[in-house]
Amino acid sequence: FVKEYNVHSSNEDHYQRVSNGPLKNKVSKRKKKLQLPHAFLEFLATGEFCTLSSTVHEARTSSDGATTKLAVKLHDGELVESVLMRHINKGGCRATLCVSSQVGCAMGCSFCATATMGIKGNLNAGEILEQMVLAGRILAAEDEARENEELSNLSPKKLSLIRNVVFMGMGEPLNNYNNVVGACKALLDRKRWNLAQGHVTVSTVGVVPKMRQLTAEMPEISMALSLHAPNQEMRTQIVPSAAVYKIEELIDALDGHMVANSADGGLTVIRRRRAMIEYVMLEGETSTLEAAHQLGKLCENRHFFVNLIPYNPTDVEDKLSCPSEEHMKKFQRIVSSYGCYCFIRRTMGADIAGACGQLVVQEDKGKTETSVGDIEDGPFQKNITYENRNTRKTGGENKVDRDFEGLDKTIWTLSVLTSIAAGSFLICSAMLLKNRR
């Protein structure tokens, strides 16, 4: 393998050009971008060497073409899941990939399909990144099909690259810390995937020492906390691992991550980001209006946004259900009244068992039906509903289908313009004082 590579990449100038080009994702042929010598790629195509250790065992695409659920078979035969989400709206289009970090999960959340599997092992960094490669190949195939006008229902621009990666698939990412961090570094590396800072999100149930370590080592990574209850007593009932770390410790660690100081004391991230609080809506005490007030007080005066996740029944021991849509909106309004950004998660892939652990669990049980959804999806086939304290003051229920990332970009643009204006003012003031002297 090494001999063949050296033969086909003997040109030092070409090698430098290859090594400095970001890998991004697998691109379609029409873009004419090759990051390895053409002759070497042809050699790999002969099949003598295996370039990936994992394969797509099963792929299901939703009826609207926006979501593809992948069951990825690893080299040892175990299955993990990835979800490719295509977001298309008036403001543009982008692709997001939800990846798994473990086979199964040890956290034992009572509402999660993956928890029924137990923990079977960790994925290495390469296996995590291969989910990106496999999803990129799907987008590349669609890109070529669009060129041939075979897919008229998808936007023809910007969907050939994955712009966001979220570690919200199977497993607790921080229990596989070294491999997850290794994968994150590759995703952000300018010579590899070159994703933008803040476009890689690690979701955790709450492993406080690892949360603080991630903040010290990779402050540019966004963090999400799977909270699911407004106080310690309620949380321990549905998230057994919550008994180890108190809610106050989790919130403090999340606050610390948003300060984003690196290990050497330098400020690594210039603009302050919002951290996500994930909250599954279960019929019962965690979704009462009193719980909404408690959650709002917990997030008050903090740079958080709350993502309410409508629950769908899964093959878990306890028979759980989701509150009504009307009740969820009341819950949302109460949380928003404390000044928090609060969303009800958009439904994607409900018709393909599009959430964490379910497709693999069905595979293990020999099931083929796809009528059951999961926590990552909601039963209400609608867009995100958004509300904050300002909309409550007007007395209206202002529903906005907007991308939070777009809001962040607007804030960043205004910050830059303000800085330029302030700088210009200071320069003019200095010149005026100099002339007076």
Side-chain angles (χ1 to χ4, degrees):
F1 180 88
V2 174
K3 179 181 177 182
E4 289 290 337
Y5 178 78
N6 289 334
V7 168
H8 296 303
S9 62
S10 57
N11 187 317
E12 186 174 347
D13 291 337
H14 175 79
Y15 176 76
Q16 290 296 328
R17 188 164 64 251
V18 169
S19 63
N20 290 328
L23 179 61
K24 285 288 185 181
N25 319 131
K26 183 175 179 64
V27 295
S28 62
K29 294 179 180 178
R30 71 180 175 90
K31 296 191 176 182
K32 306 299 182 184
K33 292 182 180 180
L34 296 177
Q35 292 155 325
L36 288 172
H38 183 75
F40 183 62
L41 291 175
E42 290 182 345
F43 167 72
L44 292 179
T46 62
E48 186 174 350
F49 293 97
C50 180
T51 56
L52 293 177
S53 65
S54 55
T55 58
V56 176
H57 177 71
E58 183 179 357
R60 298 178 182 177
T61 300
S62 59
S63 57
D64 61 2
T67 308
T68 298
K69 182 74 173 276
L70 305 177
V72 177
K73 178 176 284 189
L74 306 178
H75 68 92
D76 58 0
E78 295 289 352
L79 295 177
V80 295
E81 294 178 352
S82 305
V83 182
L84 178 61
M85 295 162 282
R86 307 164 185 83
H87 306 274
I88 304 173
N89 51 47
K90 294 180 180 179
C93 53
R94 71 188 190 281
T96 298
L97 182 66
C98 175
V99 299
S100 295
S101 57
Q102 293 182 305
V103 181
C105 185
M107 307 310 281
C109 300
S110 62
F111 49 80
C112 181
T114 306
T116 64
M117 301 172 58
I119 182 66
K120 296 183 179 180
N122 293 330
L123 274 66
N124 60 42
E127 289 171 328
I128 295 172
L129 293 172
E130 284 187 5
Q131 297 173 65
M132 189 80 161
V133 175
L134 294 172
R137 288 181 174 180
I138 291 176
L139 290 179
E142 293 175 354
D143 196 32
E144 294 179 20
R146 279 193 295 271
E147 185 182 24
N148 298 326
E149 299 181 348
E150 295 177 6
L151 290 178
S152 58
N153 61 322
L154 291 178
S155 171
K157 298 181 180 179
K158 298 182 181 180
L159 272 179
S160 60
L161 296 179
I162 296 170
R163 291 179 51 200
N164 304 285
V165 175
V166 293
F167 285 78
M168 297 181 182
M170 295 169 60
E172 165 55 54
L174 296 187
N175 281 348
N176 186 18
Y177 184 85
N178 290 336
N179 289 314
V180 168
V181 167
C184 289
K185 289 180 178 178
L187 293 171
L188 296 176
D189 189 348
R190 292 179 61 188
K191 295 183 180 181
R192 288 184 275 183
W193 268 273
N194 194 30
L195 296 186
Q197 291 189 6
H199 286 234
V200 178
T201 301
V202 173
S203 175
T204 177
V205 171
V207 185
V208 173
K210 295 299 182 182
M211 292 172 69
R212 298 192 187 281
Q213 185 178 351
L214 184 66
T215 296
E217 295 181 3
M218 297 201 72
E220 62 270 34
I221 295 295
S222 297
M223 189 180 293
L225 175 63
S226 298
L227 189 64
H228 307 315
N231 59 59
Q232 185 65 24
E233 182 180 357
M234 290 184 188
R235 191 167 191 261
T236 305
Q237 294 177 6
I238 60 175
V239 183
S241 61
V244 181
Y245 302 109
K246 306 300 181 184
I247 280 186
E248 293 75 16
E249 295 179 82
L250 301 178
I251 298 300
D252 184 63
L254 205 58
D255 278 334
H257 185 76
M258 288 183 294
V259 174
N261 284 319
S262 62
D264 60 2
L267 188 63
T268 302
V269 178
I270 297 176
R271 64 186 178 90
R272 198 180 183 198
R273 297 161 298 168
R274 293 186 181 274
M276 182 192 299
I277 297 290
E278 297 173 297
Y279 197 97
V280 61
M281 295 299 292
L282 300 168
E283 187 71 52
E285 60 180 355
T286 60
S287 63
T288 62
L289 300 185
E290 175 59 30
H293 283 287
Q294 293 181 30
L295 179 61
K297 291 178 182 177
L298 186 66
C299 299
E300 191 174 19
N301 298 323
R302 288 190 164 96
H303 213 56
F304 297 160
F305 69 91
V306 180
N307 197 342
L308 302 180
I309 307 171
Y311 176 77
N312 266 330
T314 61
D315 294 330
V316 295
E317 183 177 352
D318 298 329
K319 299 303 179 184
L320 306 172
S321 60
C322 179
S324 67
E325 182 177 7
E326 180 181 358
H327 181 82
M328 290 182 61
K329 290 179 179 178
K330 290 181 181 179
F331 191 99
Q332 178 194 16
R333 287 195 291 270
I334 291 173
V335 176
S336 299
S337 70
Y338 288 86
C340 307
Y341 289 98
C342 189
F343 300 83
I344 298 176
R345 176 172 290 187
R346 178 184 178 185
T347 300
M348 296 188 73
D351 59 333
I352 55 170
C356 177
Q358 187 175 4
L359 187 56
V360 169
V361 170
Q362 287 186 356
E363 178 71 23
D364 288 344
K365 294 185 177 182
K367 296 181 179 179
T368 57
E369 67 271 13
T370 62
S371 59
V372 181
D374 199 353
I375 182 173
E376 297 293 341
D377 311 302
F380 315 125
Q381 300 291 335
K382 296 183 179 180
N383 292 328
I384 301 173
T385 57
Y386 167 91
E387 183 177 332
N388 61 20
R389 180 155 50 185
N390 293 331
T391 61
R392 286 183 56 78
K393 288 180 180 179
T394 63
E397 295 186 11
N398 182 22
K399 299 179 182 178
V400 184
D401 181 11
R402 67 174 65 180
D403 179 16
F404 189 78
E405 180 186 348
L407 180 62
D408 262 0
K409 287 182 178 179
T410 301
I411 294 173
W412 181 84
T413 302
L414 291 175
S415 299
V416 172
L417 293 175
T418 302
S419 300
I420 294 173
S424 300
F425 174 77
L426 291 174
I427 293 172
C428 292
S429 299
M431 293 177 64
L432 180 61
L433 291 174
K434 184 178 179 180
N435 291 334
R436 286 183 176 180
R437 290 177 183 176

